[in-house]
Amino acid sequence: MAASLSAQALRRCSAHTCAVAFRRSLSSAPSSAFNRFLLKLNHHFYDVKNIVGWSSWLRAQLVRRKNKLYSYTQQRFGDNIAAAYYILSLRGSFRFAGQSEWFRPDSRGRFSYEFLNTPDAHIEQMDLSGTLINHHGLDNLVRQNKLETLSLRGCPEVDDWFLGRLHVFGESLVELDLSHCSCVTVGGLAALKNLRKLQHLDISGLPLLQSPGLVRILVEEMLPHCRVAGADYERGLIQTNSLEPPQDHSEPSSQTNTGNPTVI
């Protein structure tokens, strides 16, 4: 009885309380190489846990800083320049409408400020692959009403909330790449129904899609003029013939005539 009560008490203890008790027991126990090793290992575990917690916090702060609203730049230079600066600060690239040159940063993230010379030019193509853009950062891009091509390949912060805000490009967006976006689900793809001019959509490598083939059919019904790439029809579809009972195609065995008359 006492053993069961003590076991229940131990199960109710939190991980931190148990670890503190464990360290105290090791400290009060006679010093040995094994006890010192266990104590060091225990301290190392919590050091690693704290490091992971700090790294997550630092990453969240980085994402927040990267996606802040460039309101001062918008007021001083206009929406187009602010959008261009935001894209380059994310280490993305873009092309203005009516121009062939792409603006993109170098390997160190440095870029030219020649885009300041065309404040009235709208952005027609964006490549934000692998960047930290999220739905808050879209506030810097919502006025680019001539955007035709948007690549978000491998963006870890692109989620269903992000896709829900893409309706602002419903009258201009023609191509959209969502491949390898790990946070996109079927609910987010359903929000793309407002992209009425979309002609090409890439949804390959989305790990949260349980039935890519079925999702492709649903998207194509929702956007009949859009060509969906990256999801085969066969993936995730249930074959109807597997639900039917097996049929016996063997020939009937001959039965011995017992002399009974055959009823017709």
Side-chain angles (χ1 to χ4, degrees), residues 108-129:
R108 296 184 179 181
R110 298 176 300 185
F111 50 85
S112 172
Y113 286 87
E114 294 182 359
F115 61 90
L116 294 174
N117 299 326
T118 55
D120 297 328
H122 289 264
I123 297 177
E124 190 173 72
Q125 290 182 296
M126 294 184 196
D127 186 357
L128 298 171
S129 302

Side-chain angles (χ1 to χ4, degrees), residues 13-128:
C13 291
S14 62
H16 179 70
T17 305
C18 294
V20 171
F22 177 71
R23 287 199 297 268
R24 288 179 179 177
S25 64
L26 288 179
S27 300
S28 60
S31 178
S32 66
F34 182 70
N35 284 349
R36 290 194 299 270
F37 170 74
L38 291 180
L39 188 60
K40 184 177 180 180
L41 188 63
N42 183 268
H43 282 294
H44 177 71
F45 170 77
Y46 275 93
D47 289 341
V48 171
K49 183 178 180 181
N50 290 333
I51 291 174
V52 171
W54 273 101
S55 63
S56 300
W57 182 83
L58 290 175
R59 188 182 186 279
Q61 294 300 314
L62 176 63
V63 172
R64 183 178 180 180
R65 186 173 67 253
K66 286 287 187 180
N67 291 280
K68 65 180 181 180
L69 178 63
Y70 288 87
S71 57
Y72 173 77
T73 308
Q74 289 179 352
Q75 295 174 3
R76 183 173 181 180
F77 299 99
D79 297 325
N80 300 332
I81 298 300
Y85 182 72
Y86 167 69
I87 294 171
L88 294 174
S89 66
L90 284 175
R91 295 198 173 191
S93 57
F94 67 91
R95 183 183 65 80
F96 283 125
Q99 299 183 12
S100 59
E101 179 185 3
W102 278 76
F103 291 90
R104 51 174 54 92
D106 58 15
S107 58
R108 296 184 179 181
R110 298 176 300 185
F111 50 85
S112 172
Y113 286 87
E114 294 182 359
F115 61 90
L116 294 174
N117 299 326
T118 55
D120 297 328
H122 289 264
I123 297 177
E124 190 173 72
Q125 290 182 296
M126 294 184 196
D127 186 357
L128 298 171

Side-chain angles (χ1 to χ4, degrees), residues 170-215:
E171 299 299 327
S172 63
L173 196 61
V174 177
E175 296 184 12
L176 177 61
D177 187 353
L178 298 176
S179 59
H180 304 284
C181 291
S182 58
C183 296
V184 172
T185 68
V186 179
L189 295 178
L192 300 180
K193 62 182 179 180
N194 298 310
L195 303 180
R196 291 178 289 273
K197 293 190 176 181
L198 195 65
Q199 299 179 10
H200 179 81
L201 174 64
D202 192 343
I203 57 173
S204 59
L206 301 184
L208 297 182
L209 296 187
Q210 299 296 328
S211 303
L214 179 60
V215 172

